Amino acid sequence: MIVHSTQAEAAIRGVGKPRGFWATLWKQRQLVVLSLPVLFVLVFSYFPLWGWLIAFQNYRPSNKIGFFQQEWVGLRQFAELFADPKFFRALRNSLGIGALKIICSYFFTLLLAVLVNEIRVSWFKRSVQTISYLPHFVSWVVAANLIFVSLSPEGGILNEILQRLGITSSPIAFMGLPNAFWLIAALSEVWKSAGYGAIVYLAVMTSIDPSLYESADMDGAGRIRKIFAITLPSITPTIKIMLVLSIGRLLSVGFEQIYILMTPSTIDTATTLEVYIYTFAMKLALYSKGAAMSIFNSVVSVVLIVLSNTFAKLLDGEGIM
Amino acid sequence: MSLKRTTSLFLAVLLLIAVAVSGCTPAPTDTTTAAATTAAATTAAATTAAEAATTAAEAATTAAAATTTAAAAAEAAAPAASGGFDRTPASLKMLYLYNSATTYDPWRDTAVGKALAELTKVDLEMEFLVGADARQKASLLIAAGEYPDLLSTGESSGDFYGAGALIPLDSYLDTLPNFNDCYTDSYYKLMTQEDGHIYWISYQHATENRVYPAAGYYLSMDALKENDYPVVTDFDEWQRIIIDYKKAHPDFNGQPTIGFTVPTEAVRASAIEYGGSRFLAGYQNDGLTIVEPETLEAKIIMNQDFQKEFVHMMFNFWNEGVADPEMFMQTDDQYNAKIASGRVVGLYDQRWAIVNGLAALETTAPERMLLAFPVTFKGVERERYQGARNFTGGQGIGISSSAKDPDRVAQFLSDLCSEEAQILLRWGIEGEDYSVAADGTHEKSVEQWQSYSVQETRHQRGIELMTWFNLYPNLKELPGCKTLPNPQLTQGYIENVYKPFELEFLSHYADRGYTTFSSWFAPTYDAEYEVGWSIRQRIDPQNPAKIAGDTALEISLEYIPKMVQAGTEEKFEQLWQEFCGVLDTLPLKEYEVLATQMIRDSTQFYK
């Protein structure tokens, strides 16, 4: 009878469905939980974007002036930016270091993964893997100190070796060589990330069907042949995905690494966009110019992602987006 | 089905709004900014700069909301002070924008600090700058909009003032006791900002260095000994001594001797950007500029011919293999460590910047102690290394807009200005660190002087450690005890400060009438205008002239290593021309005009 009256009430109110709000909510609880990550992205990645507004102001943080009372200058910050030759130098350095890093990381990560995959003694394989991915957990500050010490012209191990072997007559201050900076940045990145990056490939390699190798054995294929005919083709989709992802991050060269490794001698080749943004926003307190530059940075990154995805599609008709 | 979809959508929007609203209220803002502040505070500046920058950037988006509330709070707390405030026990935070001289807490770990805590009823939590980049730290704080109660502004006075980070002190200075003992009307005028208010009280009173000169071209004692104890005043001779010594002694303690090295970290690079060359040409320290003594006209140093000479000296040193191969890639700590090792033969710097290295050198290799000389170019008649005795208002201590109880903080500052506190800070505790003579003046026994003249033991007591509280004029006797507040200016110190190895060394100069390491320098003189470096700190950071000056410094730091490592004279010349060309594109003229104007305006307060 209670049921009847509820139904009647519902009918009077004109509610068509028998279920209430909370019931629906409970029924769709999985959907609600699933929407949380989306919310997270909205709140932490998109909501702060309103701060981009300061790129169109001559912003100065102050208790005296409210945000919207700041001086609005339109596109002046951008105009000044594009008129600045140092900006293009920073862009060049970002692209250069980024590209070199991707090339070196790819080559060495793949090489490491393939080599480790070929090791048959399992304890040795495991220890190589562990040792090679340990540097990933070392902070850049510590890593930079190691690099400075080993490349030092005063008793650095590399200079010692070069001199003992008679290759150079006097020690070289590697960290002070403007032309060596890109390479040092790329190779130190390899040292730090190759082992960790190789884990992904190794995981894919373990899922390759062993019967492929067995049949290749029967056909008389050697190790090298098997690597090129079976291992590498099997991980190609992974390589492609990783490439597209990393090209999108091409401009995010890695602020700490560059900032810590750069010295006054290498300002010319080491000032990447990120370092340049930092100089403006945090050292000269020109926040608006820093914001303008970081907008530019984001736009270029989006363009790069779209381009690399298109490129991947062109290669074999499937992208990741 | 459509209802399901609308329900989820509705929920998502609801949640979003909830988060957005809570993000705009002050409470969560506080936590975000606090996180940014702590992140910046507790970790090495350069290393976590990236993280801190990201956090600060996030915080900056909510800063607008925070600043409005802070402004409202500051208004509400506008002081209606009449006389002193209650000395209720309080816990305050303070940021000093320079490196800490010690590893321990000056307020909580030292005898003097504890006595001051007793006197002022304040528990002070000190925070120091990590690294050397004060403006970077200031920018982070400003972006977050949250400050400790007390700010020692350092070279960032203009940044803090521009951001409204400090509250006006005028009413406190009028009503609270002690301030007027420390500052005269002229001093107040020098501390007054464009808008007519005083935001910080300066601890940079006129002083003299009677035993160790403030700046100079340094040479190691060992090199001087080999040259039969000369007084080096000629730039060429100074270079020759370094080159000869490095050739004769390529190694020390198994490591290569360093003929010449320079500091290059952040603001410390000023030594090579403009700091060293002006003295060679006979000018005093006026920051980015030299000031013509007759016309009071300010000129940027960075593209002057004498600066070129200075860079060329480094170019020579580099080619001769005398220069430190790592000099353009070291932090300030590494630079001081090199000085402490005894390997360095010569350098240019200001003493305050290398005092930690020198203190360590005293124990590692005292016979290689570095001594400063007033080196100039040939033909320069008058050197001005010691500069003018000058009160400057460019930096000081202020109360931040985040201070919860500004009245209590002001009372604390007033208490620190008292004679009792000033004696504690600089002379120490009666009976333990000094005694009172029959005529009421303060004196130290020989043992007390010995303990005082070693930086480490002095600092352990807390004496002359909190120099940011030295608010009483250095050269004016304290009214109660008729003694100079700074023991280093008294005769007793001059007689007792030198250690045996220093006295032995000085004895070789006695026949020429030199009794201290300062005596071959020209004496200080009364200031006629506010010095250029202090003026620079006061210029609004958004002023195009200031930005031009700062940008020129960045460019300088980039070009100097290139020029020094140019290899050939032609390449050096070509780079110098290129460098001057780049500087010409900046409105540096505006800086010169502004600085000249401010310097001329300031003369009225120095009569």
Side-chain angles (χ1 to χ4, degrees), chain A residues 89-167:
Chain A
R89 186 185 69 179
L91 184 62
R92 176 201 75 190
N93 288 337
S94 275
L95 289 171
I97 295 176
L100 201 60
K101 265 189 177 180
I102 290 183
I103 294 167
C104 292
S105 308
Y106 261 86
F107 179 74
F108 287 105
T109 310
L110 266 177
L111 186 70
L112 185 71
V114 169
L115 290 180
V116 170
N117 192 45
E118 291 301 316
I119 299 173
R120 293 286 164 252
V121 190
S122 84
W123 66 264
F124 185 62
K125 185 175 178 174
R126 265 185 281 123
S127 24
V128 167
Q129 244 185 299
T130 312
I131 291 169
S132 65
Y133 83 62
L134 269 182
H136 176 80
F137 300 102
V138 175
S139 122
W140 265 119
V141 188
V142 178
N145 272 314
L146 289 175
I147 294 164
F148 269 103
V149 169
S150 41
L151 297 186
S152 159
E154 292 191 339
I157 184 151
L158 186 59
N159 271 309
E160 288 284 311
I161 292 173
L162 288 178
Q163 276 181 287
R164 296 267 166 94
L165 291 179
I167 296 172

Side-chain angles (χ1 to χ4, degrees), chain B residues 363-376:
Chain B
T363 55
T364 52
E367 76 285 359
R368 305 173 78 88
M369 180 48 90
L370 293 162
L371 296 182
F373 288 93
V375 173
T376 59

Side-chain angles (χ1 to χ4, degrees), chain A residues 19-277:
Chain A
R19 247 185 249 119
F21 173 79
W22 295 112
T24 318
L25 182 67
W26 180 245
K27 188 138 188 267
Q28 298 176 359
R29 58 193 182 279
Q30 289 97 338
L31 278 179
V32 173
V33 172
L34 270 179
S35 68
L36 284 179
V38 179
L39 206 67
F40 193 84
V41 170
L42 282 176
V43 170
F44 291 101
S45 297
Y46 285 89
F47 180 65
L49 285 188
W50 74 269
W52 272 8
L53 284 176
I54 69 171
F56 306 98
Q57 298 177 328
N58 190 12
Y59 181 75
R60 48 186 316 163
S62 170
N63 296 351
K64 298 173 202 155
I65 322 164
F67 185 82
F68 291 99
Q69 278 81 53
Q70 298 274 352
E71 183 194 352
W72 292 88
V73 296
L75 293 174
R76 197 183 83 196
Q77 305 288 3
F78 291 91
E80 281 177 15
L81 212 59
F82 294 130
D84 179 3
K86 285 167 88 184
F87 170 72
F88 291 100
R89 186 185 69 179
L91 184 62
R92 176 201 75 190
N93 288 337
S94 275
L95 289 171
I97 295 176
L100 201 60
K101 265 189 177 180
I102 290 183
I103 294 167
C104 292
S105 308
Y106 261 86
F107 179 74
F108 287 105
T109 310
L110 266 177
L111 186 70
L112 185 71
V114 169
L115 290 180
V116 170
N117 192 45
E118 291 301 316
I119 299 173
R120 293 286 164 252
V121 190
S122 84
W123 66 264
F124 185 62
K125 185 175 178 174
R126 265 185 281 123
S127 24
V128 167
Q129 244 185 299
T130 312
I131 291 169
S132 65
Y133 83 62
L134 269 182
H136 176 80
F137 300 102
V138 175
S139 122
W140 265 119
V141 188
V142 178
N145 272 314
L146 289 175
I147 294 164
F148 269 103
V149 169
S150 41
L151 297 186
S152 159
E154 292 191 339
I157 184 151
L158 186 59
N159 271 309
E160 288 284 311
I161 292 173
L162 288 178
Q163 276 181 287
R164 296 267 166 94
L165 291 179
I167 296 172
T168 54
S169 53
S170 55
I172 302 167
F174 291 103
M175 296 310 291
L177 289 179
N179 296 331
F181 190 84
W182 287 14
L183 201 63
I184 291 172
L187 291 182
S188 55
E189 173 76 23
V190 167
W191 172 76
K192 210 163 169 311
S193 67
Y196 194 76
I199 293 177
V200 178
Y201 297 122
L202 281 168
V204 181
M205 285 175 194
T206 54
S207 66
I208 300 172
D209 189 350
S211 61
L212 289 175
Y213 289 107
E214 282 159 21
S215 27
D217 275 337
M218 291 209 285
D219 290 343
R223 278 206 162 185
I224 306 288
R225 182 84 190 137
K226 276 191 284 182
I227 290 172
F228 282 100
I230 300 170
T231 316
L232 286 178
S234 307
I235 60 169
T236 307
T238 318
I239 296 178
K240 238 165 48 188
I241 290 176
M242 302 293 278
L243 193 65
V244 173
L245 286 177
S246 61
I247 287 177
R249 281 185 283 113
L250 183 70
L251 279 186
S252 321
V253 177
F255 174 79
E256 310 112 280
Q257 182 202 2
I258 305 296
Y259 193 72
I260 296 170
L261 287 180
M262 74 188 284
T263 65
S265 303
T266 52
I267 290 175
D268 196 16
T269 46
T271 310
T272 58
L273 271 184
E274 286 165 319
V275 173
Y276 202 47
I277 291 172

Side-chain angles (χ1 to χ4, degrees), chain A residues 25 28 50 89 154 264, chain B residues 4 11 61 136 328 343 558:
Chain A
L25 182 67
Q28 298 176 359
W50 74 269
R89 186 185 69 179
E154 292 191 339
Chain B
K4 275 186 189 176
L11 260 174
T61 54
Q136 169 183 312
F328 293 122
R343 292 160 62 202
E558 182 187 328

